[in-house]
Amino acid sequence: RKMIQEKFPDTWGRTEDSARVAAAMTGGPIISVLSHPFDTFKSCMQGDIEREKFGTMKQTCSVLIKERGIMSLWAGAPWRLFRQLCAMMILDKCNSTLSAMLFPHRHPH
């Protein structure tokens, strides 16, 4: 957020909230795309309590690709991305608001 405010003071960095949205829209998709396959593996493994179909993460990956193709690793990605964007904005707002209350010695007035 601070980098966006410094680099784009006349556009995205004009206000703290606009910088927050820009930061979430930049970081959220990158992290979501990279981490989503592992979340998919975890969800499949959790649903298969007896481990009849999905064993290890590597086995789960193989089963998904064999049955549904490589893109199945990103099944549900749009919803997860939306949820992560909202979470990033909320967490950043909490951080900027609560940090001054919790650590007043780091935020002189």
Side-chain angles (χ1 to χ4, degrees):
R1 173 179 36 91
K2 288 183 180 183
M3 184 193 77
I4 289 174
Q5 287 178 300
E6 292 169 4
K7 300 245 184 210
F8 306 100
D10 297 329
T11 56
W12 285 102
R14 191 173 324 149
T15 68
E16 189 171 313
D17 286 334
S18 65
R20 180 174 291 114
V21 169
M25 291 179 74
T26 303
I30 294 168
I31 298 305
S32 184
V33 167
L34 294 174
S35 65
H36 193 78
F38 300 101
D39 191 55
T40 301
F41 302 155
K42 175 192 64 84
S43 296
C44 289
M45 292 167 71
Q46 284 175 333
D48 184 19
I49 296 171
E50 288 83 25
R51 296 281 189 258
E52 293 176 7
K53 185 173 185 176
F54 302 111
T56 65
M57 285 202 132
K58 186 175 178 181
Q59 291 167 336
T60 301
C61 178
S62 296
V63 169
L64 288 174
I65 292 172
K66 183 179 178 184
E67 289 184 358
R68 300 185 224 159
I70 191 82
M71 292 308 292
S72 69
L73 304 184
W74 287 273
W79 167 248
R80 185 168 183 252
L81 175 59
F82 172 73
R83 187 177 41 134
Q84 285 183 329
L85 289 172
C86 293
M88 294 283 287
M89 287 188 285
I90 291 167
L91 289 173
D92 186 63
K93 181 67 173 174
C94 290
N95 177 42
S96 61
T97 303
L98 294 175
S99 65
M101 292 188 305
L102 296 173
F103 307 103
H105 60 284
R106 291 188 169 198
H107 298 274
H109 294 285

